[in-house]
């Protein structure tokens, strides 16, 4: 992506209402809508990649009772390695091999942020599946693969979806760091606002990031309800 686009600044004196509600600012080339789509594509790609890697791996290892040490390492690394430091270290590498400022440095950094969250919770959810139900499934003659994906994964579906939701919100909230490493995205408004001493851009950019994260969380909440097996949903409704 052309970094000069990310550096295109709005007028310093713009008001917050103009920033948020001006149709021209939203729809012009490289406007707010384009920037929002750009951020959504990157964050969506990160979460999708993390899900495709973490869920099958964690489910398989949990089903076979392996990988406890990997979970411990995941917890430790996810708390110890700051995303900004990872991205900043990867930027010179990306530039040296001709890939530019983005998207690979921030993509990899965000991927490393999302992977532990999804992996750890998927592993715990599969291991915590009702052993009586799992045993009954085996007694009915289901293969181990069927037990894993049709029984354990179904019982763990809501927890897995919750972990993906939490990871997605974390990725969206962290993605604005990309703008401070020579990239684009919604963080550009916060960066440009700081550079121009424009509170409206800073507050407006923060509002956009918060709204995007909140709407994503709400969308995943709906998906979590769909991930619950019907019997579990019915029991939960009766309990309330």
């Amino acid at each position: 992506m052309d970094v000069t686009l990310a550096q295109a600044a709005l007028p310093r004196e713009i008001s917050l209402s103009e920033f948020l509600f001006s149709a021209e600012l939203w729809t012009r080339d490289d406007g707010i809508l384009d920037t929002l789509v750009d951020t959504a594509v990157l964050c969506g790609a990160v979460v999708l990649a993390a899900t495709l890697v973490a869920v099958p791996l964690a489910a398989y290892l949990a089903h076979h009772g392996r990988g406890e040490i990997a979970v411990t390492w995941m917890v430790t690394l996810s708390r110890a390695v700051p995303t900004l430091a990872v991205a900043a270290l990867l930027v010179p590498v990306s530039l040296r091999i001709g890939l530019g400022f983005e998207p690979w440095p921030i993509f990899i950094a965000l991927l490393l942020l999302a992977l532990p969250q999804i992996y750890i919770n998927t592993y715990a959810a599969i291991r915590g599946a009702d052993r009586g139900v799992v045993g009954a499934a085996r007694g009915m003659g289901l293969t181990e693969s069927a037990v894993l994906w049709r029984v354990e994964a179904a019982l763990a579906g809501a927890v897995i979806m919750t972990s993906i939701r939490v990871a997605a919100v974390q990725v969206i909230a962290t993605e604005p760091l990309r703008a401070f490493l020579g990239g684009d995205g919604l963080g550009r408004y916060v960066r440009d606002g700081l550079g121009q001493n424009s509170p409206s851009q800073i507050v407006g950019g923060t509002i956009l990031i918060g709204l995007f994260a909140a709407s994503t969380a709400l969308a995943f909440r709906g998906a979590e309800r769909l991930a619950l097996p019907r019997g579990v949903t019915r029991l939960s409704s009766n309990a309330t």
Side-chain angles (χ1 to χ4, degrees), residues 14-196:
I14 190 173
S15 68
L16 180 59
S17 61
E18 289 175 326
F19 178 87
L20 293 175
F21 303 112
S22 170
E24 193 273 332
L25 290 181
W26 278 84
T27 58
R28 71 183 188 181
D29 290 341
D30 195 40
I32 295 175
L33 185 59
D34 284 349
T35 304
L36 177 60
V37 170
D38 181 59
T39 295
V41 169
L42 176 63
C43 294
V46 170
V47 175
L48 178 61
T51 301
L52 292 177
V53 171
V55 171
L57 178 61
Y60 177 83
L61 292 177
H63 176 75
H64 293 284
R66 303 171 185 170
E68 286 87 351
I69 295 177
V71 172
T72 302
W73 276 103
M74 281 278 190
V75 174
T76 303
L77 290 175
S78 66
R79 293 176 179 175
V81 180
T83 303
L84 178 60
V86 173
L89 288 172
L90 290 174
V91 167
V93 177
S94 182
L95 290 173
R96 179 169 297 180
I97 61 179
L99 296 179
F101 282 98
E102 63 168 344
W104 296 112
I106 192 65
F107 180 90
I108 294 172
L110 293 175
L111 183 63
L112 293 178
L113 174 68
L115 276 171
Q117 175 72 38
I118 300 174
Y119 180 93
I120 292 165
N121 286 282
T122 299
Y123 188 96
I126 296 294
R127 292 292 290 169
D130 191 314
R131 291 298 102 187
V133 176
V134 174
R138 288 195 173 103
M140 293 172 61
L142 268 66
T143 64
E144 287 301 308
S145 177
V147 169
L148 171 57
W149 297 113
R150 294 174 58 185
V151 179
E152 291 177 323
L155 293 173
V159 175
I160 295 171
M161 288 300 299
T162 299
S163 70
I164 297 172
R165 169 173 58 85
V166 173
V169 172
Q170 289 179 337
V171 167
I172 292 169
T174 308
E175 187 271 347
L177 293 174
R178 165 190 180 196
F180 293 89
L181 297 170
D184 206 338
L186 290 176
R188 61 180 286 194
Y189 299 113
V190 178
R191 179 202 62 201
D192 291 347
L194 291 171
Q196 297 180 55

Side-chain angles (χ1 to χ4, degrees), residues 186-208:
L186 290 176
R188 61 180 286 194
Y189 299 113
V190 178
R191 179 202 62 201
D192 291 347
L194 291 171
Q196 297 180 55
N197 191 26
S198 174
S200 295
Q201 289 190 62
I202 298 172
V203 175
T206 302
I207 290 174
L208 291 176

Side-chain angles (χ1 to χ4, degrees), residues 188-236:
R188 61 180 286 194
Y189 299 113
V190 178
R191 179 202 62 201
D192 291 347
L194 291 171
Q196 297 180 55
N197 191 26
S198 174
S200 295
Q201 289 190 62
I202 298 172
V203 175
T206 302
I207 290 174
L208 291 176
I209 295 165
L211 289 175
F212 182 36
S215 61
T216 300
L218 288 174
F220 271 101
R221 288 287 291 182
E224 287 167 32
R225 295 185 66 86
L226 295 176
L228 277 173
R230 293 181 181 179
V232 176
T233 305
R234 192 159 48 243
L235 287 173
S236 299

